[in-house]
Amino acid sequence: STDTEKILWVIDVNCQGHENNEVKKCAISYFRKNEEIIRTYLNNGLAEYRDILKKEDDRKIIENAADDSYRLFRKLGKMIGIIIPLTGSGMRFTLSEKIIKFLVLAIIPPKGMITLDKFVEELYEHFGMVIGSEQCKDLPSIGDASFMSENLRAFAQKLKDCGFLRDLSDATSIVENPYDYEEVSVCKN
């Protein structure tokens, strides 16, 4: 993040049956904003390191830095399933089933469980991921973030489809890591 801006990933969960154009527009907007922050860093860094670089063509330096930073991130993000679409316009962050599994295993210890709200808050705190309306408090351009509640429902459905979410009788949803330590260590090899 920068001194004045926190880089956040607005996630378009993009779950079939839970599509939301407002979430999609917001995710696209914040994806562009994040790339603009990186471009600003590159331009500011050029002024600071111009003498060390000893090159004449500023445009070429910036292009090379862009290829080595956000464009590489974009390419790798599409490969691992955190950026959609693979081609065309409207790039935004999403979470594939493999990434969701990784996040559950990274945050919840083996055989552990936490509420869905706590899990989403952990994703926000650890990775800057905005999934529900509660995490929109740090997004000044979003006024009424109620449209993000459908995104949270879509995320819950994806967690359920992956076998990580269980609904309790009191309308509480629990995210659980069903693996033992032995099973997790086998996955690492």
Side-chain angles (χ1 to χ4, degrees):
S1 68
T2 68
D3 293 338
T4 59
E5 295 181 84
K6 186 174 183 177
I7 294 180
L8 299 172
W9 296 24
V10 175
I11 305 294
D12 177 6
V13 176
N14 198 36
C15 181
Q16 189 171 2
H18 294 273
E19 296 86 359
N20 186 310
N21 282 331
E22 286 182 89
V23 172
K24 181 179 177 179
K25 284 188 251 180
C26 183
I28 290 168
S29 172
Y30 272 86
F31 185 88
R32 287 181 186 147
K33 181 179 176 107
N34 288 345
E35 287 196 343
E36 183 57 39
I37 290 169
I38 295 168
R39 282 192 293 273
T40 300
Y41 262 128
L42 295 177
N43 286 313
N44 292 345
L46 176 61
E48 190 173 327
Y49 293 103
R50 184 175 283 116
D51 295 337
I52 297 169
L53 295 171
K54 296 180 182 164
K55 293 186 179 179
E56 303 276 325
D57 186 0
D58 287 355
R59 187 185 54 72
K60 185 69 173 164
I61 293 170
I62 293 294
E63 279 299 310
N64 287 339
D67 287 342
D68 292 340
S69 60
Y70 74 89
R71 289 186 188 136
L72 177 61
F73 176 78
R74 194 190 284 178
K75 180 179 177 180
L76 294 173
K78 288 179 179 187
M79 286 174 50
I80 64 171
I82 61 170
I83 298 174
I84 56 173
L86 296 178
T87 60
S89 62
M91 280 184 282
R92 60 201 181 278
F93 292 113
T94 194
L95 298 174
S96 67
E97 287 185 15
K98 286 181 181 179
I99 297 300
I100 288 172
K101 182 176 183 176
F102 166 79
L103 293 170
V104 169
L105 298 179
I107 292 176
I108 304 173
K111 293 295 183 187
M113 59 181 69
I114 60 176
T115 65
L116 175 61
D117 290 339
K118 178 68 175 159
F119 184 64
V120 170
E121 188 59 35
E122 291 288 322
L123 293 175
Y124 178 76
E125 291 299 320
H126 287 286
F127 305 109
M129 293 182 184
V130 176
I131 295 173
S133 52
E134 183 63 31
Q135 293 77 44
C136 290
K137 61 187 175 284
D138 290 330
L139 301 176
S141 63
I142 298 178
D144 176 17
S146 60
F147 65 90
M148 291 295 285
S149 60
E150 181 61 31
N151 202 47
L152 181 59
R153 281 192 287 283
F155 184 58
Q157 185 60 51
K158 266 194 166 178
L159 283 165
K160 197 176 284 187
D161 293 347
C162 293
F164 295 119
L165 186 79
R166 188 166 37 105
D167 291 321
L168 300 180
S169 59
D170 64 353
T172 302
S173 296
I174 298 294
V175 181
E176 55 188 344
N177 178 345
Y179 299 104
D180 287 326
Y181 284 102
E182 293 81 24
E183 291 174 292
V184 173
S185 64
V186 169
C187 291
K188 291 180 183 177
N189 293 332

